[in-house]
Each structure stands twice: as C-alpha cells, then as structure tokens.
Amino acid sequence: MNLNSIKQFCKETAIETIASLLIAVGIYNFAVASKFPMTGFSGISMILYRLFELPIGLTIMILNVPVAIICYRLLGRNFFLRSMRCIVISSLMIDYLAPLLPIYEGSRMISAICTGVLGGLGYAIVYTQNSSTGGTDFIIMAVKALKPYLSLGKIAFLSDVGIILVGGILFEDVDGIVYGMIINFLFAVVVDKVVYGINAGKFALIITEKHGQEIADAIDDCCGRGSTIIQGKGGYQGSPKELVLVACDNKQMFFVQQTVKSVDPAAFTVVLESNEVHGEGFQMFNIGENK
C-alpha cells in the first residue's frame, strides 16, 4: 500500500466516522429514547433491543452477515469492503460512543425531526463515499445498481415502510408509526438533497438570430463553461436561429444571464433546473463503480 492509498484510506475512514456519529446520535440519543419504530436493520435491532435488551450495534452487525454474502457479487469487492468498514464503525458508535452523550427526552416530534435529519445526513455522506452501513442499504444499493434511474431516497422509503409497521403494531404504538413514517420521509428527502445536490445545477437554452458564437465565447470568458451551438429555424417565419446550450452550477447562472443580455438583448433564454450534471467541471457520484 503506497502513501496515496494510505491517505485515501484515512480520509475515507474519517468521513465515515463523522457520518456514523450522526447516524448513531440520531438512532440512540433520539430514536431509542422516544421508542420510535425505525427503518432498516436499525429498526429490527431496536425491536430486539426493546424486547430482549440486545446491543443495537452488535445486532446490526450480526444481521448484516447473510445479506452481505448474498449481495457481494452484485456490488463488488471494493464496495463490500468499504461497507463492512462502515458497518463496524457505525455499530461501535451506537453501542459505545452514543451512550456517553446526552439523551433527548423532550417532544417526540422534535425527536423525530432530529432523528430524520441527522440520520439522513449521515446516510447521505456514507452514500457519497460509494459505501453503505449495510442491512437494507445493501439491498438498496443492489436495486440501484440494477435500476440506476430510481432515486436512493425513494428506494429506501419503499423498502423500510414494512419494518416501521411491524414495530408500531408489535408495541401497539400508532403514534410511533406516524413518527416512524415522518422519520423515513425525512431520511428520503435529506439523502436525495445531499446526494443529488452534489451534481445539481442549471441548464440554459439560449435562442439568438446571429450571435451564437459570440454568446458562447462570452460565457466561456465569464464562467469558464463550454457551450453547444445548434442551428435551427423559427417555427412561424422559418428564419434562421442559433441555439446555445450551456450547463452550469446554480451560482453561475446569474452571470450567464447577464452575459447573454450584454451580447444580445433580444435573445430568448430558457433556464431549467438540472437534477444531475455529469462531465468535466462537475463532481460525479456513481453507484456500483470500482467493483
């Protein structure tokens, strides 16, 4: 293992430790105290904890063994090893570090919000490292690898609803089911916002009669963004048009619009939201790579 590999390993481990701490605090310091029916293997472990007082982190690790073996081939060796490292870190955090921190015993609604936001943020950070905390995460990532057009948040939401219902019914806690659904919804929202926010941006379609190249050059000068020029024609009079297509981040779009106005005030500009932008100049997060 060379120096760069060691640095990369330390960096990944540090990021996963921070993410695991967020997850552990959300689970132990908020969800356990409020007796929420949680999602995934964490939810199953919390059910066993309430019934038999089994350690949550240890139970999560034990439950992960058969799922990890089943999903190994599909997800690949590197993803598997990163995930196992994250499982160990997060489980230790839940069983040994989180109990040392204050436990919230106030409003269940506030507790649900904190659980959803902290847990969702922690899981999202783990996902952006092309890793997971195991359990249903393995199943989620496997589905994502097979059907990449599905969002992580939606897959997670659908896979975990059943566990929430079982926990709520088992302990006869209807309110707990509602809070569990709120937590699950927050997980989905936060994960999607963080994961897909990395690659989010704006897309502009600029229609001009004669100034396509000038606009493209001006955008390159002001923002360093390349453009694509397409020859077209007006639908009513058939007059020649030039379409300039440019993708940029949210902050740069203001300068793109100002630049277009300065070059051709008569240009017609359409600005669209772009959930993901991949390519040079944009970060990219891919599931199932580095197998």
Side-chain angles (χ1 to χ4, degrees), residues 14-291:
I15 293 174
E16 289 174 1
T17 300
I18 295 172
S20 297
L21 178 59
L22 293 172
I23 295 169
V25 170
I27 290 174
Y28 191 89
N29 300 86
F30 288 96
V32 171
S34 297
K35 298 180 180 180
F36 291 138
M38 286 283 290
T39 62
F41 277 14
S42 299
I44 297 174
S45 299
M46 287 173 64
I47 292 173
L48 297 175
Y49 173 78
R50 291 178 64 182
L51 291 174
F52 309 110
E53 296 188 355
L54 297 177
I56 296 174
L58 178 62
T59 305
I60 290 174
M61 283 196 287
I62 293 174
L63 291 174
N64 267 299
V65 173
V67 177
I69 293 173
I70 293 172
C71 296
Y72 176 84
R73 277 182 172 271
L74 181 61
L75 298 177
R77 178 175 177 273
N78 289 338
F79 180 84
F80 172 80
L81 293 176
R82 284 193 295 270
S83 297
M84 293 307 297
R85 178 181 65 201
C86 197
I87 291 168
V88 172
I89 294 173
S90 60
S91 297
L92 292 175
M93 289 281 187
I94 294 171
D95 283 348
Y96 295 102
L97 183 57
L100 300 177
L101 301 175
I103 294 177
Y104 180 77
E105 297 179 344
S107 166
R108 292 188 87 188
M109 178 58 74
I110 294 177
S111 183
I113 293 172
C114 291
T115 300
V117 173
L118 290 174
L121 183 58
Y123 287 122
I125 293 173
V126 170
Y127 293 154
T128 58
Q129 296 302 301
N130 203 15
S131 182
S132 83
T133 55
T136 53
D137 283 356
F138 278 142
I139 300 172
I140 291 167
M141 290 298 189
V143 173
K144 181 67 174 176
L146 291 172
K147 299 185 180 296
Y149 54 85
L150 295 177
S151 76
L152 290 172
K154 290 177 182 177
I155 299 170
F157 184 85
L158 293 174
S159 68
D160 292 333
V161 166
I163 298 174
I164 293 175
L165 292 175
V166 170
I169 294 171
L170 186 63
F171 296 105
E172 299 181 349
D173 185 4
V174 177
D175 288 346
I177 294 176
V178 175
Y179 287 122
M181 293 296 183
I182 292 173
I183 293 170
N184 201 21
F185 175 76
L186 289 174
F187 275 176
V189 171
V190 173
V191 167
D192 278 354
K193 289 295 183 182
V194 174
V195 171
Y196 295 110
I198 290 175
N199 297 325
K202 301 280 189 181
F203 178 77
L205 171 61
I206 303 154
I207 304 172
T208 180
E209 291 193 359
K210 302 178 181 178
H211 304 281
Q213 190 60 55
E214 294 177 50
I215 291 175
D217 292 340
I219 291 174
D220 186 32
D221 290 338
C222 83
C223 302
R225 291 296 181 192
S227 305
T228 299
I229 301 175
I230 301 175
Q231 301 299 321
K233 66 177 182 178
Y236 179 63
Q237 294 181 334
S239 57
K241 304 283 186 181
E242 291 183 329
L243 285 72
V244 181
L245 313 180
V246 60
C248 63
D249 61 38
N250 294 324
K251 295 178 181 178
Q252 291 175 327
M253 183 51 67
F254 172 79
F255 299 104
V256 169
Q257 290 175 297
Q258 295 301 309
T259 299
V260 172
K261 289 179 182 178
S262 66
V263 175
D264 183 7
F268 187 76
T269 303
V270 180
V271 179
L272 304 172
E273 292 289 338
S274 179
N275 290 332
E276 293 189 73
V277 182
H278 299 299
E280 185 177 355
F282 291 90
Q283 289 181 306
M284 182 165 62
F285 167 58
N286 288 324
I287 302 296
E289 283 196 343
N290 302 319
K291 291 186 178 182

